[in-house]
Structures are given as structure tokens and as C-alpha cells.
Amino acid sequence: MLDKTYQPQDVETRLYKAWEEGGCFRHGIKSGKPYTIALPPPNVTGSLHMGHALNHTLQDVLIRYQRMRGRDALWQPGTDHAGIATQMVVERQLAEKQQNRHDMGREKFVERVWQWKAESGGMITGQQRRLGESCDWRRERFTMDEGLSAAVRKVFVELYREGLIYKDKRLVNWDPKLLTAISDLEVEQHEIKSHLWYFKYPVEGMPDTYITVATTRPETMLGDTGVAVHPEDDRYKHLIGRYAILPLVGRRIPIVGDEYSDPEKGSGAVKITPAHDFNDFEVGKRHNLEMINIFDRHAHLNENVPEKYRGMERFKARKQIVADMEELGLVEKIEPNTHMVPHGDRSQVVIEPWLTEQWYVNAAVLAKPAIEAVEKGEIQFVPKNWEKTYFEWMRNIQPWCISRQLWWGHQIPAWYGPDGKVFVAYDEAEAQAEADKHYGKRVELTRDEDVLDTWFSSALWPFSTLGWPEETDLLKSHYPTDVLVTGFDIIFFWVARMIMMGLHFTKKVPFHTVYIHALVRDEKGQKMSKSKGNVMDPLDIIGKYGADALRFTLSIFAAQGRDVKMSEQRVEGYRNFATKLWNAARFAEMNGCALSADFDPAKVQGTVNKWILGRLAQAARDVEAALEAYKFNEAAGALYHFTWGTFCDWYLELIKPALNGDDAALKTETQATCAYALKQLIHLLHPFMPFVTEELWDKLFGKPGGFLMLRDWPNDGARPEDPAAAAEIDWLIRLIDGVRAARSALNVPAAAKIAMIANGANAETAARLQRHADPIKRLARIETISADQAAPQGSARIVVDEATFVLPLADVIDIAKERSRLTKEREKAEAEIAKLDAKLNDATFVARAPEHVVEEQRERRAAQAALVAKLADALQQLG
């Protein structure tokens, strides 16, 4: 006998252990067509958050579904070394002990990071198990394990030998706190209130003549090597080709004509600092201007500036330079100015464009086939609108800076000879042999100290985890993978780079579908953050409500293109859903509902039993169609409505007379049908709620059938409905629902039994009324049913098909009072709608209010509109 209540905390750990020990997650356990998902590897920097919970839940739904469909399902797990993020964590830990990596040395520091990775990685996989993830844990990989490291070396060496990896001196986003280059994608723009300084530069050979430049960064003027004006700007045409004298430095700098200068902006003349501004860098290349780097790696001024400023921190230098220019009378004016300033997304310090030599990938060449693959439909984005985002970035792709000045990561396989010549090779021995041959003697080599951008190794994830560069059987059978489930924020970081690398090295796309899910926000639609105090920890939620409740909540709100609004109340609601399912199973068990070996759904005779089997078949079709289209919310919604409404609230109520009646044949059929429907329902729910369904299966149907998760998917979707049974029971439900709604709207006391008159009923409706008099009376609280009588004064009316059902209520409620109450409530709701419309029609409010506030107002309006419709219907029922 099932326990009275379902306790997920007592079940989930036990079941997961049994699944894992039973080998249920292994690929090859089913013999059908391979189905593969490569889990986006979580960073080994902490714990899983609610975004991970959504991402992993949706993947597990797909894997469990396809496994039950007979596919040879492989969910490839693993973790990412997350270069910058992980190094920062460990450096912070060292700082707390007054230590730093430089004192430790590279080798000892890397050992320390490996120790921390072992602790953190184990914590993450433990959390994944708590969520119920059915990964093939035997195949767990790490982006710096030996197999993946070999893949990284091969890719780097081959791309270098093809001329697609090269060294170049270019501007990079330099993080002066982390002391490394970072990518454009790791830069955040912050709005800063500052100033616009107008500096006067003397023009050579023209006494008392100045050209005024406007700048937001006075400290970079010491690196100016030119002034640009628009070639058609009449104010400055006569100065093009002349020279200005750079104040404080004395350097002659040319005045050039370039369309980059905007005559409408600032003074119309722009100082050009090619080594410290990305736009200036391009202007400098066009006009062959000198590139002078004035900062060191800490963003302090270096030896290329006058001695007075050397060693100064950049923002202190700014104040000093402005003061010195004012003293010389060369500041024309200073204006307040609010503008965007780039910051490192991890360090949160101002990023410095810095001229330095780095390693680059020629991304433009790799992007061409990756663009074509999506254009031809070989890879499809779901929702499709994300393809536009992908194309915009890929068609304007810049060289990819892949070197990072870190110690944790894949060290670049490049060695330098005595004269700086580079030797790229698979290992030091190969580099040494190449160098000895080049120099004609044995020479000492020095290895490049930089490591690769984390996304370089992650870009190989779909095929490197399957054994590439070896031609493994698994690579042959399970690559390309099927679907990538990920967030929109890493389309550029990761998705695009996997497509580029996959096509280049395997000549195949890495996956055929990219499903992009939205963000998980709080109940008001705000982004979760520690500073707002609205972060929900998935492990806390699981501990309180169970993994199934969290999984189902995330699934049913995962509508394409819409953020998931999370709240504890919602999770609690779906915990109640699991309880509802459990109670339904207990009801069935207590009423002797069991399956006989010879039960054949096609031979069922009872109308209600035919109806539930038809509805079950429709639910199965809806779930299958929704999952094939990655509409997780629709699949979960179909199961929720069938379970709670159709099966529990209607079917179990409608079969009580048969279960308690004297018709033995009908009772036996009903018991078997109920057990069959429950069994199939548990099957359908399993991908979403694996724990409660597995427990019910084990207790009710499992022996000797084995684990539910390895059973074949039900084929009920192929069974046609019985149209006559469907029409009859749907009519019955509409009638009972209509009476219940009228009773609720008109405040009829719950205990009051009332009369019902059926007017205008045809022969079929009359027969139905007779057949179903018992459930109508029992479920709608009806005392008597009569036909074709005049409606008494003070009656409610319900129309179902051709018949009007009259509920005389004059002796039960005060009709005038109810009409007055309903009218007032409707007027109040209409007034509220008018207020909300005034706000929502105000363009200023919609533009300035936070997005979640606007959305909240829209939701309130929709709720009020629904209330008005309900109240209007109630008033109409009263006549």
C-alpha cells in the first residue's frame, strides 16, 4: 500500500543511486538510432544557479523522452576550467592568507588550482544528481583532461600551419586588474557621468593659431600622434597637411583629413591616439601614424611620456594633465558629459585599449562555412529569430584574440628561439627538433607563457568529448550531436565557435538544432542578483519541495522567447501537483484498480472509460508534438491539465458509482481502465517528474518490469478517440462546469442543493440527462432535474448546445442584492482597467519604467479584463 503522503526527501536520493548503480544512464542501453546532447559544461567556480537548473532540466526532459522512445541516448557531461573566473577565485583565496601567485610560482599555483577544481567539480556534479540528471557519468570530461588537451594542441597546431592562427600587434581590451587581454564579449558598458575637455593644440608655423580637440580621456593625449578633421569641414580644410605641436610633450603631429571625424560632434577635430583607442587605431593605420604605447600592464604611465608623468596611475595622471594644461592656458572649456565606459565583466575596472602582441584566429575565414550551414538549414535555431542575431555577429566578425596572460588554462604550444623565432609544435621535443634544424645546432627554447582563451577549448566540446582526434566508435556513432540547449548570452562566446571549429575539423555541423531558452527571473520579472537579494538557490528549493516540483515549474514556464518567472509559491503549487498525482494513485490502489494480463483498451465498453482512453491518447499526441517542436511549456501544460483536470477531477469522480456499484463486469473494466490510464500517465510524466513517477511505477507496476525510465514510451498517441463517448462526456463536463460557475459567481452556498430545469433539450440531450443524472446531482449539488417548465422569477440560465438549463435561485439567494453586487464589482473592475490603460497608453511611462513594472501592469489589466467578462456573464445568467 502506498504511503499516505509522498515525501520526496525520502525517495530521491535512494532512487538516483539505484538508477546510477543499475547503469540506467549509460549510452547503448537502448539499441535504436543514436541521440546525443553535449551538456554545456558548467564552470568549476562554484555551484549551480537557477539558470543551470532550467538549462539542465530541459536537456534531461529530452534525453529521458528519447531514451524511452528507444533511442541510444547519450547525455555527455563535464565541466569547464573557466580560465579567468577560476584563477580569480583561487587568487582571492590566497589573498585572504596574505599570499599571491607570484610568490608561489607558476607550477605551485597551478597545483593549487587543480586542488580547488577537485573540490568544486565534485560539488557541481553532486548538485546535478540532486536535480535528477541522467548523464552518462562514466564519460564525464573536463576541458583540461588529457584527451581534451590533446585535441586543443592539434587544433592550435593545425590552424597555425594553415595560417589561420597568427601573432599580431593590435589593440586589445586590457584588464589592468587581472593583467590579461579579454574579449569584446567580456566587456560591459557602464554609463558614467564625467566631462568633455576641450584642449587647444598650437599649429606649427601659425603664431596664435590653435586647433581645439575635444576628449573624454585627457590622460591619453601624451600618446597622440595626429589630429583628424573631416576633409569637407570648411573650418579646418586649410590645416590639413600641416602639423600641430602636442602640448606637454612638444611632438609634431600631423593634421589629417579623415571621415571618422564628425563635424557635428565636439569641436569637429579629434585627437588621434592609435595605441589606446580602437577607432584611432584604424585612423592611424590609414594615415601611417606612429603608434606610441604610453601605459604599462597596470595602466600606469610608462617611459614613453615626459619624466614628470612616469609611473603615475592613469586617473591621477588625468587630473595632473588637466591642471598643467589649464596652467598653460590651453583648456578652452570643460563640459559635463555622460557617456559609456568599458569595464571588465569580472574585475569591474575600466578596460584599457592597449597595443600589445597577442595570438589571433582568422575568424572571418572560419565563419564563412558556419554562416552557410545556418543559411542552408543544416543548423536551425529555435526560436528562429535568434538566427538574425547569429548572422549579424558572424558577418561582421573580427579576429579572435585567443591568448590570455594567465597561468590557469591550456598553455600555448609555442616555443621561441634565441632570436625570437617561434616554433609551434605538438610538444617540446618536436619544437626542439624544428629549432635545431633551423639554427643548425642545439639551441635553448623558451615556451610561450600565455594560455588560451577558455572558449578555445570549449569550442571543441561536441567532438573532443567523444574522443577526437581519435576516430573512436563513439565519435562515428554519436557525432554530430542532436541538439544544443543553451542561453542566448553565449551564442557568440560558444555556439558560433563550436559551429566554426566543428565544420573545420570534422567537416560536419556539431548539432542540427540550437534551442535558445530565456532567463530565469524573479516573480516580478527582475533579473536575479545577490545585490537585489532575490536569488533562489535550486538546492534550497529542492530540499524544501523536491526536485520534481522544481523541474516541472521550470518546464511549464519555459515558453519560447519568454523569460521564466520563478517564485517559491509556484514551486509549491507544482509540489501540490505531485501530491495530487500520488493521491490519485492511492485512490486507484484502494479501489482495487489493477491491470489484468489480458486487458485490451480497444475492447472497453463503458462510455466514461472510452472517453478517458481517448483523452489519454490526445494528451500523448500533444506531449509528443510539443517535445518534437521544443515547446516544453506546452508539453508540461498538456500533462498538467490531463492529470489534474481530466483524470483526477473528472474521471476519478465519474467512476465512483461504477467502482461501488453492483455491475461486476463494469466494475472490473473500470478498475482495469483506471489502472491502465494511470500507468500510461506516469509514463508520460516521467521525463518531467522522474522521481515521483519512478516511485509510483515501482510500487504499483514495477515488478518484474524493471525501472520505468528504461520502459518504452507508450503508443497511446496512435489510438483513435471514440467520437460518441468524447462528445457525451464533454457535454456532461460542460454542463456541470456551467452550474458550478454560476453557483460560484452568484454566491450560492456550497451546501445548498438546488433544482434544475432543462428547457429545449432534444432527444439526445434528454437521454444523456437520464443516463448521467447521478453525477450531475452529485457533482453540481442538484436536488431535482425536470424538463420544459417556465423559468421562475429570479433564475440563473446556462446554455449548453441547444438546451437552456434554468436554476431557480429566488429561495436560495437575494437576487436583487446579487445583481447589485455584481454590477458594482464590474464597475470597479472597469474603473481599474481605465486607470491601467491610462498608464499603458502613456509612451513616457512605457519607455522609462522598468520592464518588469510595465509587464506587471499588463498582467493586472489582463486579470481585470477577465474579471469583467466573468461578472458580465454572471449578470447575463441572472437575466
Side-chain angles (χ1 to χ4, degrees):
M1 181 66 71
L2 290 173
D3 293 339
K4 189 173 182 180
T5 56
Y6 174 61
Q7 300 291 347
Q9 293 76 10
D10 299 336
V11 169
E12 292 177 352
T13 305
R14 167 173 54 80
L15 277 181
Y16 196 92
K17 184 182 180 189
W19 285 331
E20 196 168 356
E21 289 177 352
C24 297
F25 305 150
R26 298 177 182 181
H27 76 87
I29 204 160
K30 292 286 184 85
S31 57
K33 182 183 174 185
Y35 182 85
T36 315
I37 297 178
L39 176 84
N43 293 344
V44 288
T45 49
S47 59
L48 300 185
H49 53 65
M50 200 57 81
H52 287 119
L54 171 65
N55 180 272
H56 294 194
T57 293
L58 300 185
Q59 291 173 75
D60 197 37
V61 167
L62 292 173
I63 282 289
R64 287 179 181 270
Y65 170 66
Q66 295 292 353
R67 190 185 286 122
M68 295 175 94
R69 299 283 281 185
R71 303 282 294 271
D72 175 11
L74 167 62
W75 192 9
Q76 173 62 55
T79 48
D80 195 305
H81 67 280
I84 293 177
T86 305
Q87 181 159 319
M88 277 182 67
V89 168
V90 177
E91 289 204 64
R92 277 199 297 267
Q93 293 171 351
L94 292 175
E96 289 170 6
K97 299 176 182 176
Q98 282 75 50
Q99 296 176 317
N100 65 67
R101 64 182 167 110
H102 300 286
D103 294 339
M104 294 179 75
R106 183 169 191 148
E107 190 175 333
K108 292 285 185 188
F109 176 76
V110 170
E111 279 179 21
R112 176 71 183 80
V113 184
W114 274 107
Q115 290 170 14
W116 190 83
K117 177 264 169 190
E119 300 166 18
S120 176
M123 181 171 68
I124 287 169
T125 56
Q127 292 173 325
Q128 289 178 259
R129 286 172 165 89
R130 286 289 285 116
L131 193 61
E133 299 179 27
S134 58
C135 302
D136 189 344
W137 292 111
R138 300 171 307 156
R139 298 201 43 76
E140 185 180 352
R141 305 303 299 269
F142 177 56
T143 50
M144 281 175 60
D145 69 28
E146 185 45 48
L148 270 64
S149 295
V152 168
R153 288 192 295 273
K154 180 176 176 65
V155 167
F156 188 95
V157 172
E158 288 197 10
L159 288 177
Y160 177 79
R161 290 174 181 172
E162 292 171 34
L164 294 174
I165 282 183
Y166 57 93
K167 287 198 87 169
D168 194 10
K169 199 163 191 178
R170 296 171 56 94
L171 281 191
V172 296
N173 298 300
W174 184 260
D175 190 314
K177 180 179 179 182
L178 300 180
L179 303 180
T180 180
I182 63 173
S183 76
D184 292 345
L185 302 172
E186 294 166 301
V187 175
E188 297 176 346
Q189 297 293 336
H190 294 186
E191 190 175 79
I192 300 294
K193 289 182 179 178
S194 181
H195 297 90
L196 192 61
W197 288 270
Y198 290 78
F199 288 166
K200 298 191 297 185
Y201 289 5
V203 178
E204 184 185 56
M206 297 179 69
D208 300 322
T209 302
Y210 301 89
I211 186 166
T212 300
V213 298
T215 181
T216 58
R217 305 192 65 212
E219 64 276 14
T220 64
M221 71 167 285
L222 303 180
D224 287 358
T225 58
V227 173
V229 298
H230 195 281
E232 302 303 319
D233 191 333
D234 291 334
R235 295 172 296 174
Y236 301 119
K237 271 184 180 179
H238 65 292
L239 296 180
I240 294 173
R242 303 188 71 97
Y243 286 82
I245 304 299
L246 182 63
L248 308 181
V249 179
R251 184 164 56 242
R252 293 171 75 242
I253 58 176
I255 300 170
V256 299
D258 195 283
E259 291 184 355
Y260 166 63
S261 181
D262 183 354
E264 304 297 321
K265 196 173 176 182
S267 65
V270 185
K271 59 189 275 312
I272 303 299
T273 322
H276 297 290
D277 183 277
F278 288 99
N279 291 313
D280 291 7
F281 180 77
E282 297 301 326
V283 175
K285 283 201 297 186
R286 286 196 289 272
H287 298 280
N288 200 27
L289 300 179
E290 190 179 0
M291 300 199 180
I292 302 174
N293 191 345
I294 63 167
F295 290 120
D296 65 16
R297 60 208 297 263
H298 299 280
H300 290 198
L301 293 168
N302 64 17
E303 69 281 358
N304 294 327
V305 301
E307 190 172 348
K308 174 180 181 178
Y309 306 102
R310 289 175 193 170
M312 271 191 184
E313 188 274 329
R314 54 184 165 166
F315 296 116
K316 287 183 179 176
R318 173 182 293 184
K319 291 179 181 177
Q320 186 63 54
I321 287 165
V322 171
D324 290 348
M325 290 289 282
E326 283 180 326
E327 192 174 331
L328 293 171
L330 297 177
V331 177
E332 185 174 289
K333 60 179 176 176
I334 302 173
E335 294 177 345
N337 183 52
T338 300
H339 63 124
M340 305 305 287
V341 176
H343 286 66
D345 65 350
R346 288 192 170 87
S347 66
Q348 292 300 303
V349 301
V350 176
I351 291 305
E352 195 60 57
W354 201 45
L355 187 64
T356 179
E357 193 171 51
Q358 301 281 350
W359 289 94
Y360 289 89
V361 171
N362 187 337
V365 170
L366 296 178
K368 286 178 183 176
I371 291 168
E372 287 175 12
V374 178
E375 286 175 335
K376 291 176 181 175
E378 293 174 41
I379 297 174
Q380 295 190 357
F381 280 77
V382 180
K384 193 174 177 62
N385 60 286
W386 288 110
E387 287 180 8
K388 183 183 177 186
T389 305
Y390 171 83
F391 286 138
E392 282 177 0
W393 189 71
M394 291 291 274
R395 288 168 181 156
N396 296 285
I397 200 165
Q398 297 297 308
W400 174 15
C401 176
I402 56 171
S403 46
R404 298 290 182 269
Q405 289 64 54
L406 304 169
W407 286 356
W408 172 246
H410 292 279
Q411 194 169 352
I412 290 174
W415 287 262
Y416 299 96
D419 58 357
K421 179 172 174 57
V422 66
F423 298 91
V424 170
Y426 290 104
D427 55 37
E428 189 169 5
E430 186 184 10
Q432 188 71 59
E434 286 183 21
D436 293 350
K437 183 179 178 182
H438 171 77
Y439 292 108
K441 61 178 180 178
R442 181 80 174 180
V443 295
E444 189 173 333
L445 296 179
T446 305
R447 185 165 185 179
D448 195 309
E449 290 194 352
D450 288 355
V451 300
L452 288 164
D453 176 15
T454 299
W455 300 102
F456 189 90
S457 50
S458 301
L460 318 181
W461 187 252
F463 55 94
S464 64
T465 51
L466 299 177
W468 189 91
E470 301 297 325
E471 278 292 320
T472 64
D473 290 340
L474 203 60
L475 186 68
K476 291 174 187 173
S477 62
H478 284 265
Y479 184 86
T481 66
D482 284 83
V483 59
L484 174 73
V485 179
T486 188
F488 63 84
D489 52 335
I490 54 174
I491 290 176
F492 313 132
F493 277 116
W494 193 44
V495 179
R497 288 163 177 171
M498 280 191 289
I499 297 171
M500 289 190 283
M501 291 297 197
L503 283 166
H504 192 78
F505 286 97
T506 72
K507 309 308 176 191
K508 298 174 184 175
V509 294
F511 27 72
H512 59 68
T513 301
V514 181
Y515 174 78
I516 302 290
H517 61 73
L519 294 173
V520 182
R521 297 180 178 271
D522 71 8
E523 60 191 308
K524 295 179 180 175
Q526 297 182 96
K527 193 171 180 179
M528 290 188 184
S529 69
K530 289 179 182 176
S531 61
K532 290 177 183 170
N534 62 350
V535 173
M536 294 175 69
D537 186 321
L539 268 292
D540 290 345
I541 298 297
I542 289 172
K544 199 167 181 181
Y545 301 107
D548 287 330
L550 176 60
R551 290 169 61 111
F552 202 83
T553 307
L554 291 166
S555 300
I556 205 165
F557 286 104
Q560 291 180 11
R562 196 181 309 155
D563 288 336
V564 176
K565 291 183 181 179
M566 278 294 289
S567 68
E568 270 205 43
Q569 290 78 9
R570 282 181 165 172
V571 182
E572 185 178 15
Y574 293 108
R575 189 273 312 275
N576 296 342
F577 175 59
T579 301
K580 184 87 168 176
L581 176 68
W582 185 268
N583 290 341
R586 284 191 81 241
F587 172 87
E589 186 183 39
M590 290 165 68
N591 282 277
C593 298
L595 269 176
S596 57
D598 61 348
F599 176 75
D600 183 354
K603 295 179 180 177
V604 163
Q605 295 300 309
T607 303
V608 173
N609 292 331
K610 288 181 180 179
W611 169 77
I612 194 63
L613 292 175
R615 286 289 173 262
L616 174 68
Q618 185 59 56
R621 288 193 290 273
D622 291 344
V623 171
E624 289 161 14
L627 286 179
E628 295 297 335
Y630 304 100
K631 295 181 178 179
F632 297 93
N633 63 310
E634 291 184 11
L639 286 167
Y640 178 84
H641 293 300
F642 176 80
T643 305
W644 195 297
T646 306
F647 186 75
C648 295
D649 286 355
W650 287 111
Y651 180 66
L652 296 186
E653 286 296 332
L654 292 173
I655 64 173
K656 283 179 179 178
L659 294 175
N660 297 317
D662 298 327
D663 186 334
L666 180 59
K667 178 175 181 178
T668 300
E669 177 189 282
T670 301
Q671 288 171 323
T673 305
C674 180
Y676 178 85
L678 177 64
K679 183 181 181 183
Q680 304 306 75
L681 169 57
I682 289 169
H683 254 112
L684 298 174
L685 271 167
H686 177 78
F688 298 89
M689 307 180 84
F691 291 108
V692 67
T693 53
E694 188 73 78
E695 183 72 355
L696 286 171
W697 174 267
D698 179 58
K699 294 286 193 290
L700 300 177
F701 309 108
K703 299 181 174 90
F707 290 111
L708 168 62
M709 70 169 290
L710 298 182
R711 302 291 290 176
D712 290 338
W713 186 256
N715 64 354
D716 291 86
R719 183 185 300 108
E721 286 192 46
D722 183 306
E728 180 153 332
I729 302 304
D730 286 349
W731 168 87
L732 175 62
I733 289 171
R734 282 185 290 130
L735 174 57
I736 295 171
D737 262 345
V739 175
R740 286 173 167 177
R743 292 179 65 117
S744 172
L746 300 173
N747 276 343
V748 176
K753 287 195 171 185
I754 57 177
M756 183 170 77
I757 304 166
N759 288 337
N762 61 22
E764 184 179 42
T765 297
R768 287 173 174 175
L769 278 168
Q770 190 172 359
R771 283 196 295 272
H772 300 291
D774 175 74
I776 292 170
K777 289 178 178 180
R778 184 164 49 89
L779 300 177
R781 305 291 290 164
I782 297 296
E783 183 77 42
T784 60
I785 302 174
S786 54
D788 296 324
Q789 295 179 17
Q793 189 72 24
S795 295
R797 293 163 180 79
I798 301 147
V799 177
V800 180
D801 297 339
E802 86 294 346
T804 299
F805 295 88
V806 178
L807 305 176
L809 297 175
D811 295 334
V812 183
I813 60 172
D814 185 331
I815 299 294
K817 186 177 177 182
E818 277 306 308
R819 189 176 284 115
S820 173
R821 178 184 68 82
L822 292 168
T823 302
K824 285 177 182 175
E825 286 189 18
R826 185 173 70 172
E827 288 170 352
K828 182 180 176 184
E830 287 171 340
E832 182 65 19
I833 287 173
K835 280 185 195 173
L836 292 165
D837 281 344
K839 268 188 181 179
L840 292 169
N841 293 331
D842 181 350
T844 304
F845 167 76
V846 173
R848 292 185 179 177
E851 187 181 334
H852 74 273
V853 172
V854 177
E855 183 61 25
E856 189 180 328
Q857 300 300 304
R858 289 190 179 122
E859 287 174 1
R860 282 179 60 193
R861 196 216 180 275
Q864 291 298 314
L867 178 59
V868 166
K870 181 181 173 184
L871 293 166
D873 188 48
L875 282 164
Q876 188 177 12
Q877 287 174 354
L878 282 177

